[in-house]
Amino acid sequence: MRRYLYVSLAAAFVVIALKLGAWHLTGSVGFLSDALESLVNVVAAGFALLMVAIAGRPPDTDHPYGHTKAEYFSSALEGLLIGVAALGIAAEAVRRLLAPQPVHMVAVGAVLNVAATLINLAVARWMLGGARHLRSIVLEADARHLLADVWTSAGVVLGVLLVPLTGWLWLDPVVGIVVAGHIVGEAWRLVARSVDGLMDRSLPDSDLAEVEQVLGRFRSENLRFDHVRTRRAGTRRFVGMHMHMPAHWSLGRAAACRLQVERALTQHVAGLVVTIEMLPQGQESLQDGGPDAPPTN
Ligand SMILES: [Zn+2]
């Protein structure tokens, strides 16, 4: 796993150097924004390494719930930095649009960019194979992102190559603006994802439906579930709930029933951490309405 991430990180540095070289030679904003797009990959690979290192640590006394939320700090920061950089490039592209400038040595720049893109393509295909082998979502997401960048770069090279052929000086800044807009979108997703995680947003509807379906199998005259709450932290998913049962049940019977529910839930939703509070029918915990609250069943 780490081998793949280190290689993709090293490749990304080479790719950025090549793309920055293309920008430096040609003065094309399109090439500059394409280089920034590759910087997103370096950051993504670095972030994946960090996630594997920190989030994979087992819970300890200081962090009894584990370290999976660590990734949110890094992805929020990355999103902000990338977004600001993309906006800066978009501003530069708009300036170029208003005062068009010629691009130079386009052929050499295009060759550098194509070389960089071929490196990306090779690394992406190699990582996709690794992701299938290791069944890693992180690795697969990284590889898919690289593949998407291959298409972006192809579009950029085509657009910039057309500038000297057609004499359309506006084409280069327009390419730059389109790519910068795409990067801002990616940055926004990174930030939104971190905010959702830090704010304990519920699990996606598909997971909630799975939980509901499992609970539905256990619901009966005697068993009722309420106050179902879900959240996620990195790759870990949590669900908490009340299980209401007749007050005369023995603790042993109640615990056996609770275990069945927990087992069914963890079988259906991979990586789910289940917390079940056992309560008699018609009685709630203080935080959920208290003993004086009207019975809900
Ligand atoms: Zn309840």
Side-chain angles (χ1 to χ4, degrees), residues 122-281:
V123 172
R125 294 186 62 113
W126 178 64
M127 282 174 78
L128 267 184
R132 258 193 294 276
H133 180 65
L134 296 170
R135 291 170 186 272
S136 162
I137 298 172
V138 178
L139 209 57
E140 190 187 335
D142 232 20
R144 297 242 169 256
H145 192 176
L146 266 186
L147 272 184
D149 285 3
V150 168
W151 291 108
T152 315
S153 299
V156 168
V157 169
L158 202 67
V160 178
L161 275 178
L162 278 176
V163 176
L165 293 180
T166 57
W168 297 338
L169 292 185
W170 52 264
L171 193 56
D172 177 47
V174 165
V175 167
I177 289 170
V178 169
V179 176
H182 172 68
I183 298 172
V184 168
E186 283 183 39
W188 172 253
R189 270 192 292 281
L190 273 175
V191 173
R193 195 176 149 281
S194 312
V195 170
D196 278 353
L198 291 174
M199 294 303 294
D200 284 338
R201 192 190 175 97
S202 294
L203 292 181
D205 288 343
S206 54
D207 286 344
L208 291 179
E210 285 275 4
V211 168
E212 266 312 306
Q213 199 224 325
V214 171
L215 292 185
R217 296 211 312 255
F218 289 94
R219 280 202 173 95
S220 68
E221 206 181 308
N222 284 332
L223 271 192
R224 205 168 52 74
F225 301 93
D226 61 17
H227 295 97
V228 178
R229 299 183 181 97
T230 62
R231 69 183 178 94
R232 74 184 308 160
T235 50
R236 298 180 84 192
R237 293 179 278 186
F238 298 85
V239 62
M241 70 191 72
H242 290 177
M243 191 174 94
H244 290 275
M245 65 205 84
H248 62 80
W249 276 19
S250 72
L251 184 55
R253 181 176 179 185
C257 188
R258 199 208 71 92
L259 189 63
Q260 277 184 16
V261 175
E262 183 183 9
R263 199 171 273 149
L265 281 169
T266 45
Q267 270 167 8
H268 275 79
V269 185
L272 193 65
V273 179
V274 184
T275 308
I276 301 176
E277 192 175 349
M278 299 191 290
L279 287 161
Q281 276 167 358

Side-chain angles (χ1 to χ4, degrees), residues 65-165:
Y65 290 97
H67 299 80
T68 42
K69 278 197 177 182
E71 69 174 88
Y72 295 132
F73 294 109
S74 58
S75 62
L77 188 67
E78 281 160 31
L80 285 175
L81 290 177
I82 293 163
V84 168
L87 287 177
I89 288 181
E92 170 65 17
V94 168
R95 256 199 305 277
R96 291 277 187 101
L97 204 53
L98 299 176
Q101 283 179 27
V103 286
H104 316 281
M105 300 173 75
V106 168
V108 185
V111 166
L112 288 183
N113 210 302
V114 166
T117 306
L118 288 178
I119 292 177
N120 267 344
L121 185 64
V123 172
R125 294 186 62 113
W126 178 64
M127 282 174 78
L128 267 184
R132 258 193 294 276
H133 180 65
L134 296 170
R135 291 170 186 272
S136 162
I137 298 172
V138 178
L139 209 57
E140 190 187 335
D142 232 20
R144 297 242 169 256
H145 192 176
L146 266 186
L147 272 184
D149 285 3
V150 168
W151 291 108
T152 315
S153 299
V156 168
V157 169
L158 202 67
V160 178
L161 275 178
L162 278 176
V163 176
L165 293 180

